[in-house]
Amino acid sequence: MALLKNPQILIASDLRDGEALFLGADGWARDHKSAAVARDSQEAAALEARGKGEIAANRVVDVYLADVGLEADGSPTPLHYREKMRIKGPSVRPDLGKQARAAQSGDAK
Amino acid sequence: MTAHDPQQAARPNTPTTTYLYDNYDTAFVRERVAEFREQVRRRLEGATTEEEFRPFRLMNGLYLQLHAYMLRVAIPYGTLTARQMRSLADIADKWDKGYGHFTTRQNLQFNWPKLVDVPDILEALAEVEMHAIQTSGNCIRNVTADHFSGVAADEYEDPRPTAEFLRQWSSLHSEFSFLPRKFKIAVSGAAQDRAAVKVHDIGLRVVAGPGGEPGYEVYVGGGLGRSPFVGKVVREFLPREDLLAYLEAILRVYNRFGRRDNKYKARIKILVHETGLDQIRAEVEAEFAAMDRTPFAHDAEEFARIAAFFAPPPYETLPAQSEALQSAKRENPAFAAFAEVNVSAHKIDGYAIVTVSLKPTGGIPGDATSAQMRVLADASEKFGFGELRVSHEQNIVLPHVKKDDLFALWRMLDAAGLATANVGLLTDIISCPGLDYCSLATARSIPIAQAISRRFKDEERQREIGRLGIKISGCINACGHHHVGAIGVLGLEKKGQESYQITLGGDPSLSASVGELLGPGVGADQVADVIEHIVDFYLSERQGEERFIDTWRRLGHARFKDVLRREGENGADI
């Protein structure tokens, strides 16, 4: 199995409300920190296979792998600015999206 | 013949200045809502896949964006009633997040609807004679028009009856529901083009024929996006009775010959460019001559029925000058600035056209809160026969305000944060949503608009600079019309970073031109600096009352490039 250039996580949109979701060990999470991280091609393929199953089950749409870096605690952070936007919400409206929910819960990072 | 019953739409206590649905229209839109409700139900139950559902949701204006779904609501030819504006505000509060985004296609977008709620939203829209049909997909999109229609002092004919005529012809047109690509039509009826007709797939100008009869100058093959083109005249004068048949012929030629192998080359502008105008004209004229024109024969009675909806409101007879206005201007400099910049000449004495800027300093171009929408609805009822317009420049127009009422209106707007005096000036920036919302975007555009807006917030300085259109797109699709900005900004990705190309010399009017690239892209934090250098150079070089675009044309692009190159050598890194 080949190591990936960068670790990856699987991102999708919730079919019902379109919110960005991240595939974790126990299913879809709304927080990217709960995403399962693939480090090699086999793990990435496994994530994609689970994603296809979720599409077939009509829970999510628009599923894709995204490159991440790993924080000191091992949690993933997207490398590309597009996905950095998706884990927060519109940069021009910090009162909306995931960032607003995080701020309300006291986790404004 | 028409399916419409002229008697059905006549009802009391409704504005007289916009099209009203009759039973046929109402049933048509209601059936479509019911159809989409069933499609959503089947999708949520898993009876259809996303691949199957996607065309249905797109044909109803429902996109999937970065953070949520987005619903694009059609505002035909940009005309809204107060009741409709209030309903949009109610929808924003009930099913969205308390605001809406007015777009460069005179539409409104909700950025956060849930799929399960969209049928209810569409039903609420239908209650006020609105829908989201054909605001997406490879079909004929919402027909746009001059936002000063019916009131502009330089108008030959109100273009909205034509636009409504075309809307009814193009709605669910079975032959044109799956074109090679989307298709956009704009109509203008005035000497000055405020509808950007030359950068549409088809642009129409209502003009007088040899005998003074109304007809159309027809442009074809304009458009922005990846490959920008200025439209070309395919018919110098098209008699009104041939309107539908001739447009049918153009669309048939496009449908037959437009490329379907490459979506980037599928618009009619590419067909016109690659085939040549003469050949396209020959094809259109041949189709027009050969086709059975009976189904498209001009129905003068129906056109007159539609035109009657756009009759002038009951204006009062007033003097041309208003003493109250002059007095208020003398006593209140802020109002005087507003009156100078945001108020335009009306064709009726004693009245004025007011453009309400949705571009406050540091704001998001085109966004309005639900509270602001209600203020605009109230203002239109109190001061303007209950009618509003959305401009493709992402502002709201109150088209019939008595000059005597301008000060009271201004105070009402000012209290709601809607009195920014910058219409047509540098901070009246067109901007697409960009990567803050849009899944197609390659860079953010709103923060760039905000940075420029803050940099040039001094309104006196803006008035000194004069008319200058800055237009920003967050990707090559050019929803922010950057190609036709006197200064255009295009956000792209370069080596994993947001990078911004700047163009100069774009013009959306009848003297249309596509902007020329200034040089390599710059970082987000440099855009305002570069624009400041450009503006300073313009101010140092302009002659008399010359607009930016005129100075640029006189001096030539190279002079502007030179000055920026010199600035770059001094450390500005541009």
Side-chain angles (χ1 to χ4, degrees):
Chain A
M1 79 195 90
L3 275 178
L4 298 169
K5 185 179 173 192
N6 294 300
Q8 293 183 317
I9 61 173
L10 198 74
I11 302 182
S13 296
D14 189 316
L15 170 65
R16 302 184 77 82
D17 61 18
E19 183 173 343
L21 300 176
F22 309 92
L23 187 59
D26 302 322
W28 294 103
R30 294 189 182 262
D31 183 347
H32 69 283
K33 291 177 185 171
S34 301
V37 177
R39 290 175 174 78
D40 59 43
S41 54
Q42 194 173 355
E43 289 175 349
L47 282 182
E48 282 193 300
R50 285 178 63 200
K52 282 181 183 169
E54 292 293 299
I55 292 172
N58 291 302
R59 282 190 278 268
V60 295
V61 293
D62 193 23
V63 177
Y64 64 96
L65 288 165
D67 288 350
V68 293
L70 299 178
E71 302 291 327
D73 64 358
S75 63
T77 300
L79 294 177
H80 195 275
Y81 59 85
R82 183 177 191 273
E83 278 67 46
K84 286 179 180 171
M85 198 77 65
R86 295 199 75 187
I87 65 171
K88 291 182 176 176
S91 70
V92 294
R93 288 296 302 264
D95 58 323
L96 301 177
K98 293 176 186 292
Q99 57 200 349
R101 205 156 50 221
Q104 283 172 358
S105 65
D107 179 12
K109 280 189 283 187
Chain B
M1 289 296 291
T2 172
H4 295 273
D5 178 351
Q7 300 303 314
Q8 292 300 317
R11 70 199 91 144
N13 301 319
T14 47
T16 59
T17 54
T18 191
Y19 183 78
L20 300 174
Y21 284 9
D22 61 15
N23 288 346
Y24 178 85
D25 300 303
T26 301
F28 165 73
V29 173
R30 294 271 183 204
E31 282 167 17
R32 186 61 178 257
V33 173
E35 185 182 87
F36 191 60
R37 187 180 293 283
E38 178 65 9
Q39 288 163 350
V40 170
R41 186 189 68 75
R42 286 169 56 76
R43 176 72 186 108
L44 290 171
E45 286 182 355
T48 53
T49 65
E50 183 64 13
E51 195 176 14
E52 291 163 337
F53 177 66
R54 191 169 178 270
F56 296 136
R57 72 167 162 78
L58 288 177
M59 290 295 275
N60 286 283
L62 188 63
Y63 289 73
L64 181 62
Q65 300 286 36
L66 289 178
H67 313 296
Y69 287 96
M70 179 273 282
L71 181 67
R72 181 179 295 155
V73 179
I75 301 176
Y77 30 88
T79 296
L80 274 176
T81 63
R83 178 170 170 248
Q84 289 172 326
M85 184 68 103
R86 273 198 200 93
S87 181
L88 293 174
D90 292 345
I91 289 168
D93 284 342
K94 185 170 181 181
W95 289 293
D96 211 80
K97 292 187 184 289
Y99 72 105
H101 176 73
F102 291 96
T103 77
T104 53
R105 216 146 171 80
Q106 297 179 306
N107 291 321
L108 178 118
Q109 293 179 176
F110 291 117
N111 288 315
W112 305 90
K114 292 180 171 60
L115 177 59
V116 67
D117 291 333
V118 173
D120 289 339
I121 297 173
L122 295 180
E123 196 158 310
L125 289 170
E127 283 289 324
V128 292
E129 306 181 358
M130 298 184 79
H131 59 68
I133 298 167
Q134 292 182 203
T135 57
S136 177
N138 293 336
C139 53
I140 300 173
R141 300 287 187 88
N142 184 37
V143 178
T144 54
D146 183 351
H147 45 267
F148 288 174
S149 295
V151 291
D154 66 337
E155 186 173 86
Y156 166 68
E157 182 184 277
D158 188 337
R160 290 175 301 165
T162 296
E164 175 61 30
F165 210 55
L166 294 178
R167 180 169 80 114
Q168 296 189 11
W169 160 73
S170 63
S171 292
L172 302 194
H173 192 307
S174 55
E175 194 174 328
F176 305 143
S177 292
F178 298 96
L179 294 164
R181 277 295 272 146
K182 57 190 169 185
F183 202 92
K184 299 176 180 177
I185 301 174
V187 194
S188 163
Q192 188 185 335
D193 175 25
R194 287 171 287 265
V197 297
K198 291 178 82 169
V199 288
H200 280 75
D201 296 288
I202 289 178
L204 296 173
R205 288 185 69 220
V206 192
V207 293
E213 73 283 12
Y216 304 93
E217 183 180 35
V218 184
Y219 293 91
V220 69
L224 303 175
R226 186 175 297 262
S227 308
F229 288 100
V230 173
K232 299 170 178 66
V233 176
V234 66
R235 256 295 186 106
E236 286 186 5
F237 182 76
L238 179 72
R240 172 155 291 158
E241 52 266 32
D242 292 336
L243 176 66
L244 293 189
Y246 196 78
L247 262 58
E248 180 86 14
I250 294 175
L251 266 295
R252 284 185 184 182
V253 168
Y254 170 53
N255 211 12
R256 191 185 315 152
F257 298 114
R259 289 180 60 170
R260 293 175 187 269
D261 62 318
N262 181 344
K263 77 175 200 175
Y264 301 118
K265 294 181 183 292
R267 297 288 289 270
I268 194 172
K269 62 189 176 185
I270 303 294
L271 180 66
V272 172
H273 177 68
E274 290 186 346
T275 311
L277 177 65
D278 291 343
Q279 181 63 27
I280 288 295
R281 183 185 287 123
E283 294 283 357
V284 170
E285 295 291 345
E287 176 63 32
F288 180 69
M291 69 193 289
D292 175 8
R293 293 204 288 271
T294 313
F296 313 106
H298 184 62
D299 185 338
E301 199 175 313
E302 174 65 357
F303 193 89
R305 183 190 80 87
I306 290 172
F309 287 110
F310 302 95
Y315 295 119
E316 295 174 35
T317 303
L318 298 169
Q321 300 301 322
S322 162
E323 280 306 315
L325 170 60
Q326 297 307 325
S327 167
K329 281 163 68 174
R330 280 192 297 271
E331 291 165 16
N332 191 317
F335 168 65
F338 178 86
E340 180 191 338
V341 174
N342 292 35
V343 176
S344 302
H346 198 287
K347 61 166 64 168
I348 303 296
D349 279 352
Y351 285 84
I353 306 166
V354 175
T355 303
V356 180
S357 169
L358 296 182
K359 324 286 176 62
T361 299
I364 297 176
D367 274 15
T369 66
S370 55
Q372 288 177 321
M373 290 187 220
R374 291 191 183 94
V375 168
L376 289 164
D378 291 348
S380 75
E381 283 183 334
K382 193 168 182 183
F383 300 112
F385 301 103
E387 188 189 343
L388 306 110
R389 309 281 177 79
V390 182
S391 75
H392 81 269
E393 288 139 350
Q394 301 178 283
N395 291 319
I396 302 295
V397 175
L398 297 173
H400 324 278
V401 182
K402 279 196 277 191
K403 288 179 178 175
D404 289 350
D405 289 337
L406 282 172
F407 184 61
L409 169 65
W410 174 78
R411 287 205 302 189
M412 188 174 180
L413 295 173
D414 194 36
L418 291 167
T420 309
N422 64 349
V423 169
L425 302 182
L426 192 150
T427 62
D428 185 8
I429 299 167
I430 288 181
S431 172
C432 72
L435 195 64
D436 278 296
Y437 292 97
C438 179
S439 63
L440 296 177
T442 44
R444 284 172 289 174
S445 47
I446 297 169
I448 303 301
Q450 291 173 312
I452 298 167
S453 172
R454 292 190 187 102
R455 176 70 64 91
F456 290 91
K457 66 183 178 185
D458 183 335
E459 290 183 354
E460 195 174 326
R461 184 183 179 202
Q462 287 186 63
R463 290 196 294 278
E464 184 198 338
I465 294 166
R467 297 189 69 81
L468 201 170
I470 296 182
K471 304 181 197 299
I472 306 172
S473 302
C475 78
I476 196 66
N477 292 305
C479 294
H481 296 185
H482 67 278
H483 292 300
V484 289
I487 299 176
V489 181
L490 167 62
L492 296 168
E493 178 179 350
K494 189 176 177 183
K495 297 179 182 170
Q497 302 293 321
E498 292 167 291
S499 175
Y500 296 87
Q501 289 184 349
I502 293 172
T503 52
L504 300 181
D507 176 1
S509 72
L510 287 178
S511 51
S513 56
V514 171
E516 295 180 32
L517 189 60
L518 196 59
V522 300
D525 57 352
Q526 295 172 300
V527 176
D529 290 336
V530 173
I531 289 176
E532 187 142 35
H533 289 307
I534 294 166
V535 169
D536 286 346
F537 178 64
Y538 154 63
L539 291 176
S540 70
E541 294 290 329
R542 78 171 166 193
Q543 296 176 352
E545 298 295 306
E546 212 171 38
R547 297 173 307 164
F548 176 88
I549 186 74
D550 300 323
T551 304
W552 180 83
R553 282 174 175 154
R554 177 173 56 78
L555 293 177
H557 191 58
R559 288 287 307 280
F560 282 82
K561 288 187 83 157
D562 283 348
V563 72
L564 284 172
R565 197 174 297 122
R566 284 199 301 276
E567 292 289 351
E569 286 163 3
N570 290 336
D573 193 22
I574 49 182

